[in-house]
């Protein structure tokens, strides 16, 4: 089987992948981002490329249509809206999943031909605060760091970044560097103790949004101790005095940290020359995200810890092509190629180059405002590309209602059933990863090729082609006559050449003669370039700016809800949710709650928690853990209305945004929490996909079919009918056990001696091994054994999945510890866990520590 050299479609690390049409997936040993490594999500890519659930034909009002009909309608509706209500009445909402070529065409159509800037993207939710902070400090949106800097640093400070789960291969690179140089220090700053904290020498459990007070405190400490680099700031930085004065006005107590913790951190930072500060959503997704970014940049600028190997601030992006989107102007306040939308000379260069009839002159609607404009009836035609805002935006219930109000909604997507597609009039089938060709830019400015190794399924077409065909139907055919992605990339590089006289960081000249087909991963402007090495920045005077930032006054709600991500899922699970292996790790929405708070609201393990705000409510399983501080809750954002009933956590979050970047504050919603008083709880394992309508439900794939966690507030009454209905099996032999003393019900449905459904229900949370029950579907295990919830003796229950690559469960890990495996390496030798992608190593280490404590106490 020949393998194609391509790039992972998930996070901003941008790992190289060798992929085959038979589903073979390997890390690319030659890719400089990962040198052959992959995380659990990347390693499971082969399990997500099937056509199950794919959108294979255009659909108009739910009915299959041919491309001409669908595209004619899209062009006609957009043209009519523009003619009647003006260009500001239409909008595109795009995605960091798009390839650079797709993004370029979408941006060109909206800004240069429709003449509005109403194109924003889910990258607004990811790193808009970093973009704004970079521009304030450097004059450009420049990410100066490289992955090699992480390996050369003596101190890595991770702020609001659970790298172990969200950028696992970078985490592995840091872990390997620390193994090789144990003197390297790692400080993890996060309100929550995460898998990343386990690698750190110090975890600072900061108060939510305490980052400005912390970095202001650091700056003041260094200014007072004579630790600033005056030679550097005198020559290269403005705004030093103002930033220091603001820093001194901050109260370090606002960090929530103890004086000795602050002193130790400040002293370590001040005395270490090579410091890299990595930050991601914990910094960006905040009502003061841009100020947080600048508080961090201030410390690096004030000490000259930038522009040199092993130093610098480093914003790591969530999406695979968030950086590419930034480069081609895929945000509502940017022009293409790092040119400024509010600069007439820049606009003229772009308009001349595009030979376009118009060019937008003012910023368009940014994500949250865009959907608010939909709610107000201002948007008459909306095109959502490759993303799912009805789930991922804050106040997601209102966003869904807002989309439903738009007179004409078109989506282009790879999947047919999504929460957003359910609201659209026209669905356009797009090619997905493995089927499309183009480029992506990772967090260290490295442009890599995504290459097709599969044919386009059904009638699916690449996004750039769909956009170009609509543009042609709107009368702009000459400007969108691309034949292939290479044509678009060449135009993007040529536009960069046309703007070469405008001082910017973006310089694509290295790609001018690139052989697109053979392009190798390359950083712009050159692989060996180091930004700011000579102290020159991009403000008109060539200097950087330190920004005076003021720590916010922090509200103290009863509970602060922090949202984030799981190790083995990606965004709204449209692809990762297809993999039974990945779904086995944390298969249900959950909310982490501190043990004291759990006592306070009367919650026990297994209870469901109702999290509520003025925007909505969501139900999630209680995960009681000291990893979250008292007064805080954490919930992952992945679950959709397709996968849960009442489990969409963004129905609770508030549409509050950073005033500079307009990025939503998704990590600090003021909420209440209480135990959901269910009358019954249920667990169902079955062969066919269920569609439960119970008050609470969460479904997930398993290796043998599907599983459902359920609960309800009303007595069920007829459990036999309910079991048949939930499992979608009106026929088959039924075995039922009831226990009047406990009120529990156990039920098996068998067809020709094979188990096709098992249901366990109880007035209390169901205690049964999910792994063991799921494993019995499709077997001829005797009903009496199955209803006892016991694995056959020759198939011991592995327990909840820890290692997704080799499906190693918790029970297997604990058994290996009991047999004498006393290190993560030894656990790997005994069980294979952690020996492929390594993403589970932090969990293995935690399990090992717990088990050893228990053994020592016995
Ligand atoms: Fe993909 Fe994992 Fe690499 Fe991110 S770290 S690019 S998800 S393989």
């Amino acid at each position: 089987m020949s393998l194609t050299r391509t790039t992972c479609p998930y996070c901003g690390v941008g790992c190289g992948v060798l992929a085959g049409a038979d589903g073979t997936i390997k890390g690319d040993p030659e890719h400089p981002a990962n040198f052959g490594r992959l995380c659990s999500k990347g390693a499971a890519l082969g399990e997500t490329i099937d056509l199950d659930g794919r959108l294979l034909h255009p659909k108009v009002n739910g009915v299959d249509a041919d491309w001409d009909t669908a595209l004619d309608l899209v062009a006609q509706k957009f043209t009519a809206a523009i003619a009647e209500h003006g260009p500001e009445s239409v909008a595109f909402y795009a995605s960091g999943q798009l390839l650079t070529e797709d993004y370029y065409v979408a941006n060109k159509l909206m800004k240069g031909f429709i003449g509005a800037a109403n194109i924003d993207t889910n990258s607004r939710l990811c790193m808009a605060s970093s973009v704004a902070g970079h521009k304030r400090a450097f004059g450009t949106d420049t990410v100066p760091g490289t992955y090699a800097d992480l390996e050369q640093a003596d101190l890595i400070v991770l702020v609001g970044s659970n790298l172990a789960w969200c950028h696992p291969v970078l985490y592995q690179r840091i872990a390997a560097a620390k193994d090789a140089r144990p003197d390297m220090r790692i400080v993890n700053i996060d309100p929550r103790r995460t898998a990343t904290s386990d690698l750190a020498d110090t975890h600072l459990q900061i108060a939510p949004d305490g980052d400005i007070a912390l970095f202001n405190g650091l700056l003041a400490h260094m200014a007072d101790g004579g630790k600033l680099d005056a030679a550097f700031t005198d020559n290269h930085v403005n705004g030093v005095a103002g930033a220091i004065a603001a820093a001194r006005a901050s109260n370090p107590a606002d960090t929530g940290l103890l004086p000795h913790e602050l002193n130790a951190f400040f002293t370590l930072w001040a005395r270490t020359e090579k410091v890299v500060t990595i930050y991601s959503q914990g910094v960006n997704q905040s009502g003061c995200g841009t100020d947080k970014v600048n508080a961090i940049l201030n410390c690096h600028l004030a000490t000259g810890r930038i522009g040199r190997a092993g130093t610098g601030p480093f914003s790591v992006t969530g999406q695979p092509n968030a950086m590419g989107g930034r480069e081609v102007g895929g945000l509502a306040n940017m022009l293409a190629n790092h040119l400024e939308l509010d600069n007439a000379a820049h606009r003229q260069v772009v308009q001349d180059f595009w030979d376009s009839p118009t060019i937008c002159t003012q910023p368009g609607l940014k994500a949250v405002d865009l959907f608010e404009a939909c709610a107000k009836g201002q948007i008459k035609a909306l095109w959502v590309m490759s993303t799912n805002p009805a789930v991922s935006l804050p106040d997601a219930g209102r966003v869904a209602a807002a989309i439903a109000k738009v007179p004409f909604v078109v989506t282009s997507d790879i999947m047919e059933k999504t929460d957003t597609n359910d609201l659209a009039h026209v669905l356009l089938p797009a090619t997905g990863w493995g089927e499309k060709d183009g480029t992506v830019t990772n967090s260290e400015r490295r442009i890599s090729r995504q290459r097709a190794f599969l044919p386009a399924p059904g009638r699916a077409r690449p996004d750039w082609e769909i956009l170009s065909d609509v543009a042609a139907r709107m009368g702009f055919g000459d400007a969108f006559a691309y034949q292939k992605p290479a044509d678009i990339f060449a135009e993007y590089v040529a536009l960069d050449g046309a703007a070469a006289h405008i001082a910017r960081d973006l310089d694509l000249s290295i790609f001018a003669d690139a052989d697109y087909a053979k392009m190798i991963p390359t950083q712009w402007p050159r692989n060996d370039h180091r930004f700011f090495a000579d102290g020159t920045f991009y403000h008109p005077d060539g200097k950087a700016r330190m920004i005076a930032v003021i720590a916010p006054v922090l509200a103290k709600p009863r509970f602060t809800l922090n949202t984030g991500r799981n190790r083995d899922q990606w965004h709204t699970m449209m692809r990762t949710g297809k993999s039974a292996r990945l779904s086995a790790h944390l298969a249900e929405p959950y909310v982490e709650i501190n043990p004291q708070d759990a006592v306070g609201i009367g919650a026990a393990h297994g209870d469901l928690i109702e999290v509520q705000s003025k925007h909505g409510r969501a139900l999630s399983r209680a995960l009681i853990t000291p990893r979250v501080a008292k007064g805080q809750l954490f919930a992952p954002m992945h679950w959709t209305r397709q996968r849960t009933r009442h489990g969409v956590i963004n129905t609770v979050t508030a549409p509050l945004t950073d005033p500079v970047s307009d990025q939503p504050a998704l990590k600090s919603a003021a909420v209440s929490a209480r135990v959901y008083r269910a009358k019954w709880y249920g667990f169902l394992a079955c062969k066919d996909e269920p569609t439960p309508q119970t008050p609470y439900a969460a479904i997930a794939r398993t290796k043998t079919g599907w599983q459902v966690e359920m609960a309800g507030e009303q007595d069920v009454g007829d459990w036999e009918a309910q079991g048949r209905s939930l499992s979608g099996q009106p026929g088959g032999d039924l075995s039922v056990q009831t226990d009047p003393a406990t009120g529990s019900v156990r039920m098996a449905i068998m067809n020709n001696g094979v188990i096709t459904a098992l249901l366990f229900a109880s007035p209390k949370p169901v205690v049964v091994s999910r792994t063991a029950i799921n494993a019995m579907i499709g077997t001829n295990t005797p009903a009496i054994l199955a209803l006892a919830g016991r694995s056959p003796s020759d198939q011991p229950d592995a327990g909840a999945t820890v290692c997704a690559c080799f499906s190693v469960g918790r029970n297997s890990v604990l058994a290996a510890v009991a047999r004498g495996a006393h290190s993560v390496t030894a656990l790997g030798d005994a069980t294979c866990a952690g020996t492929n992608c390594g993403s589970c190593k932090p969990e293995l280490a935690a399990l090992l520590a717990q088990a050893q404590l228990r053994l020592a106490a016995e």
Side-chain angles (χ1 to χ4, degrees):
M1 164 64 54
S2 74
L3 297 179
T4 299
R5 197 154 248 135
T6 184
T7 311
C8 175
Y10 296 129
C11 82
V13 179
C15 296
V17 175
L18 298 172
D22 65 346
T24 301
I25 296 291
K26 295 179 179 170
D28 180 354
E30 292 178 22
H31 198 291
N34 57 318
F35 297 108
R37 297 177 177 97
L38 291 177
C39 75
S40 50
K41 293 185 284 284
L45 274 165
E47 294 161 40
T48 66
I49 54 179
D50 62 71
L51 299 185
D52 195 18
R54 282 291 296 269
L55 176 63
L56 296 173
H57 296 268
K59 284 186 181 286
V60 175
N61 296 321
V63 178
D64 282 357
D66 58 43
W67 271 108
D68 281 337
T69 304
L71 294 178
D72 285 348
L73 182 64
V74 173
Q76 183 248 315
K77 290 286 188 183
F78 271 74
T79 302
I82 294 163
E84 193 174 342
H85 304 283
E88 314 290 343
S89 69
V90 301
F92 295 168
Y93 188 66
S95 161
Q97 288 291 321
L98 291 179
L99 303 182
T100 297
E101 292 74 4
D102 305 321
Y103 247 135
Y104 179 89
V105 174
N107 187 54
K108 178 178 172 180
L109 175 57
M110 179 55 77
K111 291 184 182 152
F113 289 81
I114 291 174
N118 283 347
I119 170 169
D120 215 45
T121 148
N122 60 10
S123 295
R124 177 75 54 193
L125 280 52
C126 167
M127 43 79 234
S129 297
S130 284
V131 174
H134 289 155
K135 289 176 92 164
R136 290 204 305 193
F138 307 145
T140 49
D141 173 24
T142 310
V143 177
T146 68
Y147 297 163
D149 286 327
L150 307 179
E151 288 150 342
Q152 293 164 355
D154 293 324
L155 169 63
I156 293 179
V157 181
L158 290 144
V159 195
S161 179
N162 184 8
L163 222 61
W165 280 20
C166 301
H167 300 90
V169 166
L170 270 194
Y171 169 87
Q172 289 167 30
R173 284 182 68 161
I174 294 172
K178 188 163 167 59
D179 262 357
R181 285 194 299 125
D183 286 346
M184 174 194 264
R185 287 286 163 267
I186 299 174
V187 177
N188 178 222
I189 298 165
D190 199 311
R192 190 168 68 108
R193 187 170 178 87
T194 66
T196 304
S197 316
D198 297 340
L199 177 70
D201 300 284
T202 306
H203 170 226
L204 296 178
Q205 195 157 22
I206 194 168
D209 286 336
D211 315 67
I212 296 173
L214 179 67
F215 284 91
N216 270 357
L218 172 61
L219 181 61
H221 170 90
M222 293 192 294
D224 294 344
K227 301 289 186 188
L228 304 188
D229 185 342
F232 184 80
T233 54
D234 286 352
N235 290 311
H236 303 298
V237 186
N238 287 325
V240 181
I244 291 173
R248 287 193 172 120
S250 269
N251 181 0
D254 288 343
T255 60
L257 299 171
L258 299 170
H260 76 269
E261 293 178 304
L262 290 167
N263 275 335
F265 173 60
F266 293 167
T267 305
L268 178 64
W269 211 101
R271 74 160 190 246
T272 311
E273 195 53 38
K274 289 188 169 181
V275 183
V276 173
T277 307
I278 299 175
Y279 56 95
S280 47
Q281 314 308 28
V283 167
N284 292 329
Q285 290 180 337
S286 161
C288 54
T290 308
D291 281 354
K292 286 188 188 184
V293 170
N294 285 110
I296 293 169
L297 302 188
N298 283 348
C299 292
H300 281 272
L301 290 169
T303 54
R305 289 184 173 98
I306 192 165
R308 291 181 283 129
T311 70
F314 199 160
S315 140
V316 287
T317 49
Q319 292 253 41
N321 199 29
M323 291 283 275
R326 281 148 83 164
E327 289 157 14
V328 299
L331 290 163
N333 52 327
M334 302 167 89
L335 209 48
N337 292 51
H338 281 206
L339 293 164
E340 301 291 336
L341 198 148
D342 54 5
N343 184 310
H346 291 203
R347 291 198 301 270
Q348 195 62 54
V349 167
V350 176
Q351 188 175 5
D352 288 349
F353 180 82
W354 283 344
D355 193 18
S356 66
T358 180
I359 191 94
C360 57
T361 55
Q362 58 188 24
L365 293 163
K366 296 163 196 161
V368 169
D369 289 343
L370 191 158
F371 290 100
E372 191 53 32
C374 293
K376 289 178 179 158
Q378 293 164 3
I379 299 298
K380 310 297 181 191
L382 171 70
W383 189 341
V384 178
M385 302 168 200
S386 204
T387 185
N388 202 355
V391 179
S392 54
L393 263 286
D395 199 1
R398 180 168 168 81
V399 169
I403 296 171
K405 277 186 77 172
V406 177
F408 181 71
V409 179
V410 52
T411 62
S412 31
D413 209 309
I414 62 169
M415 302 301 288
E416 180 169 351
K417 290 290 292 173
T418 76
D419 291 19
T420 304
N421 285 0
D422 283 354
L423 305 167
H425 304 93
V426 174
L427 309 185
L428 302 175
T431 45
W433 183 80
E435 301 150 6
K436 59 184 182 177
D437 264 306
T439 55
V440 288
T441 308
N442 73 1
S443 293
E444 61 165 355
R445 292 176 278 104
R446 191 177 298 282
I447 296 180
S448 300
R449 284 292 316 278
Q450 264 194 27
R451 294 183 173 90
F453 58 92
L454 295 165
R459 305 263 175 222
R461 301 174 69 197
D463 289 278
W464 65 264
E465 200 176 85
I466 300 170
L467 281 154
S468 298
D469 278 357
V470 170
R473 283 166 167 79
M474 293 174 76
F476 312 127
D478 289 350
F480 293 86
Y482 308 111
Q483 299 300 308
K484 53 190 183 306
D487 298 345
I488 304 164
F489 189 79
E491 182 178 308
Y492 164 50
V493 173
L495 172 54
D496 192 64
H501 60 287
I502 298 173
R504 292 163 301 138
D505 57 341
L506 189 73
D507 173 359
L508 301 173
S509 53
I510 195 170
F511 299 102
D513 300 316
D515 180 341
Y516 194 75
K518 294 183 183 157
M519 230 167 87
I520 59 171
T522 304
Q523 280 174 301
W524 59 263
R526 296 183 309 280
N527 281 327
D528 60 350
H529 183 80
R530 182 162 291 285
F531 272 107
F532 314 138
D534 62 356
T536 304
F537 295 85
Y538 290 94
H539 285 297
D541 61 2
K543 290 188 174 185
R545 283 189 195 146
M546 285 171 60
I547 307 294
V549 288
I550 296 167
V553 177
L554 301 177
K556 293 219 165 61
R558 174 67 187 91
F559 285 107
T560 301
L561 172 67
N562 177 1
T563 63
R565 281 144 187 84
N566 278 358
R567 188 191 78 191
D568 288 354
Q569 294 297 343
W570 178 257
H571 282 199
T572 56
M573 302 198 292
M574 287 301 143
R575 285 171 300 179
T576 46
K578 287 181 154 205
S579 164
R581 269 198 303 150
L582 296 180
S583 298
H585 181 253
L586 301 171
E588 186 185 14
Y590 61 88
V591 58
E592 292 183 356
I593 182 169
N594 182 275
Q596 290 183 50
D597 287 329
V599 170
I601 64 168
H605 283 289
D607 279 346
L608 287 166
I609 303 280
E610 183 172 15
V611 181
Q612 195 155 12
S613 72
K614 66 179 182 183
H615 304 288
R617 67 189 269 273
L619 298 175
S620 312
R621 192 70 61 179
L623 204 164
I624 300 169
T625 170
R627 283 180 172 261
V628 287
K630 201 164 173 303
Q632 294 176 37
L633 304 171
F634 171 83
M637 54 74 69
H638 306 293
W639 274 271
T640 65
R641 297 171 190 85
Q642 316 284 325
R643 292 297 172 107
T644 60
R645 287 197 31 97
H646 302 301
V648 178
I649 198 68
N650 273 325
T651 54
V652 176
T653 51
L656 299 174
T657 58
D658 176 87
V660 183
S661 69
D662 293 281
Q663 177 158 354
L666 286 162
K667 292 185 170 287
S668 53
V671 299
S672 62
R674 69 180 181 94
V675 176
Y676 174 71
R677 297 290 170 202
K679 269 263 170 66
W680 61 272
Y681 298 82
F683 174 75
L684 170 72
C686 55
K687 199 167 117 317
D688 301 318
E689 183 174 357
T691 51
Q693 297 301 312
T694 49
Y696 168 74
I699 72 171
R701 290 230 189 209
T702 68
K703 285 187 178 155
T704 57
W706 296 83
Q707 71 165 56
V708 195
E709 300 282 355
M710 298 167 287
E713 295 150 81
Q714 305 291 330
D715 285 328
V716 168
D718 185 352
W719 270 108
E720 292 188 13
Q722 179 80 335
R724 287 197 180 279
S725 162
L726 286 167
S727 61
Q729 295 184 47
D733 301 328
L734 199 63
S735 300
V736 183
Q737 288 179 355
T738 56
D739 181 347
T742 62
S744 64
V745 180
R746 296 178 170 219
M747 188 183 305
I749 300 177
M750 305 188 77
N751 282 279
N752 300 321
V754 172
I755 297 179
T756 49
L758 286 167
L759 174 67
F760 297 77
S762 164
K764 294 198 168 147
V766 172
V767 180
V768 69
S769 166
R770 273 60 175 166
T771 321
I773 298 305
N774 286 330
M776 284 188 256
I777 299 300
T779 70
N780 53 11
T781 306
I784 191 153
L785 202 58
L787 293 180
R790 287 210 206 109
S791 305
S793 55
D794 58 341
Q795 295 164 30
D797 174 17
T801 295
V802 177
C803 169
C805 294
F806 293 108
S807 300
V808 182
R810 180 188 162 89
N811 295 347
S812 306
V813 172
L814 295 178
V817 177
R819 287 196 305 271
H822 292 318
S823 68
V824 171
T825 308
L827 280 174
D829 291 342
T831 66
C832 290
T835 59
N836 184 39
C837 77
S839 301
C840 63
K841 282 182 175 174
E843 280 163 275
L844 290 175
L847 267 180
L848 185 64
Q850 281 170 21
Q852 286 174 333
L853 269 179
R854 210 171 300 128
L855 287 173
E858 283 171 359

